[in-house]
Amino acid sequence: MSDREAERIEFLKGAGLADARRDPLPGDASTRRYERLTTPAGASLMLMDQAAAAESPPCDPAWTPEQRRAAGWNAVARLSAGRIEAFAAVSNLFRGAGLSTPEIIAVDAGSGFAVIEDFGDDLFARVIEDGEPAAPLYLAAVEALAKLHLNAVMPDVLSGPGGDWPLLTYDAVALQGGADLFTQWMPKLNPALDFGDAALAEWDAAWAPIAAMGEAKAWSVAHRDYHAENLIWLRGRSGDRRVGMIDFQDAVLAHPSWDLHSLLQDARRDVAPELEAVALNHYFECMPGVDREPFLQDYAALAALNEARILGIFARLIARDGKPRYRAFMPRMWRHLEANLQKPGMEAVRGWFDRHVPVEARQ
């Protein structure tokens, strides 16, 4: 028995769940693992397991950009490193805004364990694959975002059953760092791409005003991984509370468009352009104070940055981590990116791609 398994058993014993049946769930691209727990009485719960030392440290709010870069990727991007206390504190924030996140039954943040409510397996993506009309799910997801943007109280430090957690801003350092994954990793996947110092300087200059805009307009909390594989359809609830949220531990203050483009320009599944338009219109109906045209320009710019970031992540997963299945998602991301590059304000970034990434490399 490994030391980690012994810790799991001890935690479950302390939570009164020593007799629960344990069924591991398939892993994802993170270092976190889950098990479904079934009690002798038939109740279903989830064990979340994330060892605190499994990743580079999260960002200290006082760190300078140089200190963040020295500390590693989680500090640069202001990711939580999967910390249980982050999950618990963000869950508390979202539940306070009237949204559906799993109830936390037991937690030991120091050891990296939590037992949480089991929302079941009705992920939006699977439900839609099984024939459920997509529009009601996406419109409910948009309503949940609007409620979050309108109702969340956002202190500098969040509190939860696992302890306190800082609510940081998705700032220009994090945004530019995300975009830079493209230039760092695409040449490793496609050696025909060679970005020299001049090209990299142009890249930085092209994205700089977009990253600065994203930081300047970061006024709402963002889930940050808001898409059909992280939303669960809770049929027994009503309205926007039917949208069960998971994997929100990396939440930050961000431009309010961030979760919208993650949802509607999804890396893993196609969302019909007509549905994207209807969903965006529904957001403006829910948020009548938002100025539509500037918002949509920001939406396209930050979506393009996010798509460059995701393409870099997929290139890294394939080239470094030996996970070729992510190649299947890349054409979709290229289509989204190319469409956004045609929007007003994207001339500098579009020019960079035209000069440095041949059309045949965009697949």
Side-chain angles (χ1 to χ4, degrees), residues 55-60 63 65-76:
E55 299 189 19
S56 64
C59 184
D60 185 309
W63 282 347
E66 292 73 22
Q67 288 173 309
R68 286 163 64 182
R69 295 185 186 103
W73 176 245
N74 284 325
V76 170

Side-chain angles (χ1 to χ4, degrees), residues 233-247:
W233 194 233
L234 303 176
R235 301 175 190 274
R237 304 188 188 188
S238 61
D240 51 52
R241 285 186 53 76
R242 292 174 294 177
V243 181
M245 300 183 187
I246 57 173
D247 280 0

Side-chain angles (χ1 to χ4, degrees), residues 210-284:
I210 295 171
M213 174 273 291
E215 177 176 348
K217 297 184 180 181
W219 62 262
S220 65
V221 67
H223 177 296
R224 203 174 174 181
D225 205 11
Y226 197 76
H227 56 76
E229 299 281 353
N230 275 343
L231 300 175
I232 299 174
W233 194 233
L234 303 176
R235 301 175 190 274
R237 304 188 188 188
S238 61
D240 51 52
R241 285 186 53 76
R242 292 174 294 177
V243 181
M245 300 183 187
I246 57 173
D247 280 0
F248 42 71
Q249 59 279 342
D250 293 321
V252 285
L253 284 177
H255 192 292
S257 71
W258 192 266
D259 286 339
L260 281 169
H261 65 66
S262 295
L263 176 71
L264 300 173
Q265 298 190 9
D266 196 332
R268 295 166 180 81
R269 66 177 310 275
D270 291 327
V271 178
E274 298 80 9
L275 178 54
E276 180 184 14
V278 168
L280 285 170
N281 189 59
H282 192 51
Y283 179 76
F284 295 123

Side-chain angles (χ1 to χ4, degrees), residues 284-300:
F284 295 123
E285 292 171 346
C286 296
M287 301 282 291
V290 173
D291 193 343
R292 183 187 185 105
E293 292 309 314
F295 185 97
L296 287 176
Q297 184 167 329
D298 294 349
Y299 171 92

Side-chain angles (χ1 to χ4, degrees), residues 155-193:
D156 292 339
V157 178
L158 306 178
S159 297
D164 293 342
W165 190 257
L167 181 61
L168 302 179
T169 298
Y170 205 178
D171 64 0
V173 172
L175 289 163
Q176 183 72 52
D180 290 349
L181 292 175
F182 181 92
T183 52
Q184 291 166 11
W185 287 99
M186 285 300 290
K188 293 179 172 59
L189 181 64
N190 183 354
L193 298 176

Side-chain angles (χ1 to χ4, degrees), residues 265 302-312 333 336-337 340:
Q265 298 190 9
L302 290 170
L305 185 150
N306 191 43
E307 284 139 14
R309 179 186 72 89
I310 292 171
L311 283 166
M333 281 290 91
H336 288 316
L337 175 58
N340 287 313

